[in-house]
Amino acid sequence: MRNIPAATGCLAALLLSLALLACTSASQPTASPAPAEAALSRVAPEAVGLSSERLERLSAAMQGLVDDGRLAGITTLIARHGKVAHLRTFGAQDMEAGKPMAQDAIFRIYSMTKPVTSVALMLLYEEGRFQLSDPVENYIPEFKDLPVAVGEDDNGIVTEPADHPMTIRELMSHTAGLSYGIFSESPVDALYREAELMHPDSTLQDFIADIAKIPLRQQPGSMWHYSVAVDVQGYLVEVLSGQPFDEFLKERIFDPLGMDDTGFWVPQEKADRFAQVYVYGEDGALKLPEGEPLRNRDYLSPVNFLSGGGGLVSTTMDYARFCQMLLNGGELDGVRLLAPSTVALMHRNQMPRDVPEYSPGQGFGLNFAVVLDPVEADRISKGEYYWGGIAGTWFWIDPQESLIFVGMIQQFGDNRPDVRSLSRRLTYQAIVADG
């Protein structure tokens, strides 16, 4: 009998043991991987490169605005690298009731609805339903051959033909030739007011029929002018998807992102969380408005007009989830809404080459303002994109610092302090490391 060398015997034994181990392992259930930590979980500021001590400057400033009677109530949220490092409330949700501001208070976000509508439309873009260069009239035939106002004579407004049909890109960058009727004065703006566009009792179809009777304020693509263009986009979502706008938003954005408190009205069971809105009296003091400041809508019952430009209510955390999805390149908690390339397109400058910047150092993307030159724009980071609402709500997304900020107030009027600029300075001075 031939002798087997000891080393060879050891190797054979080792291979036999590994084979037996593999068989045993294969017969055992595989342990599930640990679930990923949910987005926007709370961490100490230092865990993401922020200074707790320096963040207190932000909190002190917000509390000071409340103590001075300049704002009724505020919530502020900062998330960095997908973690919430700061979430604070200040003042009152309802001063008359003596109710402190709550973290889950529900706010009228007005024009912070616009980025949500942009995401809705880009979901359909990704499905191949349209191109940004497509004429809007391809999908909304009422807009075919809209004339452009060029002046007035004894017979009324003088018009000329549009030099090209407005495009969806122009619609999404406020360069389509439309207006709002409330932020500028022109014969066309007067017609907007007379038509009572976006009345709560009208529908999106009514709105389209009414606006199609009014000339464009200026040639499409000739200038940036804030407008009802995003309400037109809401109707475009209905046309392209075949769904009511509110149902589309709920099914495709709110439910997937867990934005449970965002919608076009506040249900009765959540009414106690709805923040009171305030205006400023002649003496500068906060007071209750006489009815709702815009279009006398109470938000406590369903509304016919589903405004893609300003109709939503939301909470600080709901909107933070929306912002974090964008910062993540279209994904949150394993749910992907958009491709990273689509999100990048949305916050890329879309202004026509021969149109001046939206403001110094800033361009405009698809329903966002975009910082192109931080020095000229008096900002910190190139590539920041942001917007706000007419009652003072505000947010920004900073890809460079992997940071989002959401601030909520409910104040109308010229006496409102510049809380947006203040909060930006006091947020960035608290960043002390990469995190």
Side-chain angles (χ1 to χ4, degrees):
M1 182 174 152
R2 188 160 55 99
N3 291 328
I4 301 174
T8 304
C10 292
L11 177 60
L14 176 61
L15 291 173
L16 179 61
S17 298
L18 289 172
L20 290 172
L21 179 61
C23 292
T24 303
S25 299
S27 65
Q28 299 297 319
T30 303
S32 300
E37 188 175 5
L40 299 178
S41 55
R42 298 290 297 271
V43 298
E46 284 71 19
V48 290
L50 296 168
S51 163
S52 297
E53 180 181 359
R54 284 174 167 265
L55 280 176
E56 283 304 312
R57 297 176 182 175
L58 171 65
S59 298
M62 299 299 105
Q63 187 62 52
L65 293 173
V66 170
D67 293 343
D68 292 344
R70 303 183 69 193
L71 293 174
I74 315 168
T75 69
T76 51
L77 180 149
I78 301 170
R80 196 171 188 222
H81 303 308
K83 308 297 180 186
V84 175
H86 164 96
L87 176 55
R88 296 285 298 271
T89 65
F90 312 91
Q93 179 178 308
D94 185 326
M95 293 193 300
E96 289 67 35
K99 188 170 188 175
M101 180 61 72
Q103 289 185 2
D104 66 350
I106 298 173
F107 299 85
R108 306 154 187 79
I109 64 170
Y110 291 112
S111 286
M112 279 167 56
T113 303
K114 289 177 168 68
V116 177
T117 301
S118 183
V119 167
L121 201 50
M122 295 310 285
L123 288 168
L124 297 165
Y125 170 85
E126 286 196 337
E127 294 174 2
R129 308 291 184 96
F130 69 92
Q131 296 187 75
L132 290 172
S133 57
D134 285 346
V136 176
E137 65 187 37
N138 288 3
Y139 310 98
I140 305 178
E142 292 91 337
F143 279 19
K144 186 174 177 59
D145 297 327
L146 280 179
V148 180
V150 293
E152 279 187 294
D153 62 17
D154 292 341
N155 297 316
I157 295 178
V158 177
T159 65
E160 67 180 11
D163 57 23
H164 70 274
M166 73 169 71
T167 67
I168 294 178
R169 176 180 279 105
E170 290 167 341
L171 199 65
M172 298 185 76
S173 59
H174 289 291
T175 60
L178 300 169
S179 190
Y180 243 128
I182 54 177
F183 298 116
S184 62
E185 289 295 333
S186 74
V188 169
D189 288 296
L191 291 179
Y192 274 54
R193 292 191 292 272
E194 290 172 15
E196 292 189 272
L197 296 176
M198 303 183 292
H199 190 280
D201 293 335
S202 66
T203 65
L204 284 173
Q205 179 64 66
D206 296 334
F207 162 72
I208 292 297
D210 288 340
I211 201 169
K213 300 172 186 173
I214 301 174
L216 297 178
R217 186 182 183 276
Q218 59 274 329
Q219 285 284 352
S222 65
M223 66 180 295
W224 189 94
H225 190 77
Y226 204 37
S227 72
V228 299
V230 193
D231 294 290
V232 176
Q233 292 171 47
Y235 179 70
L236 190 55
V237 169
E238 292 196 337
V239 170
L240 293 168
S241 70
Q243 282 184 276
F245 186 44
D246 55 345
E247 292 181 12
F248 185 91
L249 293 184
K250 185 175 190 305
E251 178 184 317
R252 300 291 298 274
I253 299 176
F254 302 153
D255 286 351
L257 293 183
M259 297 172 66
D260 299 331
D261 294 318
T262 303
F264 286 100
W265 63 291
V266 181
Q268 184 58 44
E269 65 271 17
K270 299 180 182 181
D272 64 334
R273 294 164 49 199
F274 191 35
Q276 176 61 53
V277 68
Y278 292 93
V279 297
Y280 296 90
E282 292 182 3
D283 60 355
L286 292 167
K287 68 172 189 175
L288 290 171
E290 297 178 4
E292 286 287 337
L294 289 181
R295 301 185 190 91
N296 198 30
R297 183 186 162 197
D298 66 8
Y299 287 90
L300 296 175
S301 56
V303 65
N304 281 332
F305 188 71
L306 305 174
S307 172
L312 291 176
V313 297
S314 191
T315 63
T316 305
M317 184 56 76
D318 269 15
Y319 209 85
R321 292 185 65 79
F322 175 76
C323 291
Q324 190 65 47
M325 176 274 295
L326 291 169
L327 181 58
N328 290 351
E331 178 273 337
L332 186 75
D333 285 339
V335 176
R336 179 162 295 283
L337 267 62
L338 295 169
S341 59
T342 303
V343 176
L345 178 65
M346 293 169 68
H347 58 86
R348 187 175 300 147
N349 186 29
Q350 302 286 334
M351 300 275 282
R353 284 200 184 102
D354 55 350
V355 171
E357 294 174 327
Y358 157 67
S359 66
Q362 300 187 58
F364 208 84
L366 303 179
N367 294 345
F368 301 96
V370 182
V371 175
L372 305 176
D373 183 333
V375 175
E376 253 195 300
D378 196 19
R379 297 294 205 276
I380 300 296
S381 296
K382 183 177 181 178
E384 173 200 323
Y385 52 110
Y386 69 93
W387 206 238
I390 197 170
T393 56
W394 76 108
F395 80 95
W396 75 84
I397 300 172
D398 183 345
Q400 185 173 304
E401 293 290 349
S402 187
L403 179 144
I404 65 171
F405 184 103
V406 179
M408 299 286 199
I409 62 175
Q410 296 284 261
Q411 259 80 88
F412 281 89
D414 293 337
N415 290 334
R416 188 174 68 205
D418 187 6
V419 66
R420 298 173 180 178
S421 177
L422 178 63
S423 66
R424 182 176 275 101
R425 294 197 303 277
L426 295 177
T427 293
Y428 283 100
Q429 62 83 38
I431 299 176
V432 294
D434 288 341

